[in-house]
Amino acid sequence: MASENADGTYSPSEEYRKRTYIDSYAKYEEMYRKSIEEPEEFWTEQAENLDWYSKGWKKVFDWNKKASTFTWFKGGKLNACYNCLDRHVEGGLKNTAALIFEADEPGNSRVYTYGLLLSEVEKFANVLKSKGVKKGDRVAVYLPMIPELAITVLACARIGAVHSVVFSGFSTDSLFNRVQDSDSKVLVTCDGSYRGGKTLDMKGKVNEMLERETSVDSVIVVKHTGKDVVMEDGRDFWWHEEMSKADLKCPCEQMDAEDPFFILYTSGSTGKPKGVLHTVGGYMLGVTITFKYAFDYRPGETHWCTADLGWITGHSYVLYGPLSNGATTLMFEGVPNYPDNGRFWEIVENWKVDIFYTAPTAIRMMRKSGDEWVRKHDVSSLKVLGSVGEPIDSSVWKWYYEVVGNGRCPIADTYWQTETGSHIILPLPGAWNQKPGSAMKPFFGIEPVILNEDKTPTPVGQDGRLCIKKPWPSCARTLWGDHEKYKETYWNPYPGYYFSGDGARQDSDGDIWITGRVDDVISVAGHRIGAAEVEAALIAHPAVSEAAVVPIPDEMKGEAIYGFVTLKNGFEDSEELRNDLVKQVRNEVGPIATPKTIQIAEELPKTRSGKIVRRMLRKIASGSDFRSMDASTLVDPGVLDDLVKGRR
Ligand code: WT7
């Protein structure tokens, strides 16, 4: 078992070095330097990892800084579904497992070979066409982690329709906002879902949404739980009935590299979720090569990323990255602690998983449940581990490394975002010694810069804001229907740079440490929740006058939501009201945004211009010393004492 070096780092084992593609820092540096100094040559070479109908691009990269628009490989033609399926079927993987589906209930699994997955996708692409879906049309997808979700998005990719997956845990309102914003005509959903042995209704939520006027004409419904649902004639269609009528063959649409690929909504600092838009060529190139290098994927290996396809991690590393590489990808419907705390490790043992990729929140949960749950199972098939979604604390890193990886498996602590499409900062697992808790080095083509608020570079060791010089291929191109907002959020704050919204620092070895969001985004169990979205839900309650929500540290979830609320005249603080407000947020945003605490206050701290001072509320909510803060900008510094007294 490899152990800690004197300087606190961990070296990849000799055994691992044989598996890795980039086996030394020098090799990384050579490739990295080329990616920065000769980007056009570098990316043209990397584009060979994809199959193109035409490499007819005039320019590899074109950037209009003023407009915050850029293109990669414009004029090149390809299809993402072809790259994920057809080319592997043609290349000899027809009878190789593409997708392993592990259901919520143990023992219920299904395996799709590349050949079978392709034929299901072709049929479903024809079903979409029969509902009038054409290239460029948006299709909303509201499904749990079942194979039909993968089939739907790949079918969209095949015919050039733009998929917009909405996380199945979102509420009716969140679904409504996303469907309307993307103007989706077709919605794919199911009767219900399973989670930890419980059945959850989905079609009911869809029906409730469709009571309102929406853009949706047709709904395709997967029969999954078999529970009775209300279907509306002429609007709702059963998946299995449509599939049995569908033609078997459907050609791939030849897409321009810069054609829209998919929209994925994420939370920002305003109440309205942002529709992050990715394009076909750059995104596919990013996920294809990061999957290969971050995990050193070798043909024949089984990859399991525990993320839901409702988030970018699911898009990039359950689906597009692994399938583009011809890997076997595992899709899990359930939860880590059902039927017992050993479920993850039982799955690893049963399917002999080689690459395991999860989030620190899940690792903390596993650690808390005890080492014996891991030890009960043979997890010796694991070769490399991954972490994503939030900074991983070094003690959690060590547990993951020692107990799960048994000291053999390097950990790729991959830093990236919905907007970056693929990993941008990470320790390449076989190339150098790893530092627990640090995301370490930039991926190819990424030039990170840490800046002060005044836009000057931050000295080594000091916290600043993480920015990236120049766009890279898998960087989001715009926000759906709101390019101004895109410019304003990502390119205007630090002109000439992409602004990540995260804080970071660089140590004396040049390694990067991510310190967390610097905007009003809260990271609950690695999921981004916009403070403004929760506030909007609270303010919609008849008793609420004003609301401000802030993150507080949480042992399991990393951060939890703490809400301060002032009431309208005639309403009084009570436990019932506070519970009602929590319920309100669950209904309007979804259970993931459930506030941990609601504090009813007389007043909120405000500046003379009326702005609520959230940084003070953060301190008060987390019980830290707020007196060190400069309260002179407040209209009434006295409100702080009342807030501290009322803390829950
Ligand atoms: C935010 C992006 C794409 C990853 C899944 C979440 C945080 C992500 C790390 C990491 C520290 C991380 C950042 C980022 N984050 N990975 N390895 N170390 N922080 O995607 O919902 O777009 O959230 O997650 O704060 O901005 P997302």
Side-chain angles (χ1 to χ4, degrees), residues 64-81:
N64 179 339
K65 271 195 197 185
K66 221 173 149 217
S68 300
T69 55
F70 55 90
T71 59
W72 284 93
F73 305 106
K74 190 177 168 65
K77 303 274 187 256
L78 78 167
N79 182 284
C81 182

Side-chain angles (χ1 to χ4, degrees), residues 150-226:
I151 292 166
T152 301
V153 298
L154 288 164
C156 289
R158 193 166 190 87
I159 61 173
V162 176
H163 57 73
S164 166
V165 179
V166 180
F167 174 56
S168 65
F170 273 136
S171 66
T172 306
D173 277 326
S174 298
L175 174 64
F176 175 80
N177 292 336
R178 286 158 174 79
V179 164
Q180 287 305 89
D181 189 79
S182 62
D183 193 22
S184 300
K185 303 248 170 334
V186 170
L187 170 67
V188 185
T189 188
C190 66
D191 46 3
S193 61
Y194 295 108
R195 232 182 129 69
K198 285 196 283 274
T199 313
L200 306 172
D201 177 31
M202 290 198 56
K203 184 61 169 50
K205 288 201 258 179
V206 168
N207 288 351
E208 196 186 320
M209 174 189 79
L210 292 172
E211 279 167 20
R212 299 198 230 174
E213 178 103 14
T214 73
S215 56
V216 174
D217 306 321
S218 313
V219 182
I220 301 166
V221 187
V222 177
K223 195 178 229 125
H224 182 52
T225 56

Side-chain angles (χ1 to χ4, degrees), residues 266 312-313 387-392 413-419 439 500 502 514 516-517 526-528:
T266 186
I312 193 70
T313 311
S387 172
V388 61
E390 52 180 314
I392 178 165
D413 174 4
T414 58
Y415 168 80
W416 60 297
Q417 309 176 302
T418 305
E419 296 86 341
S500 67
D502 282 303
I514 308 292
R517 302 290 308 191
H527 296 309
R528 257 158 87 170

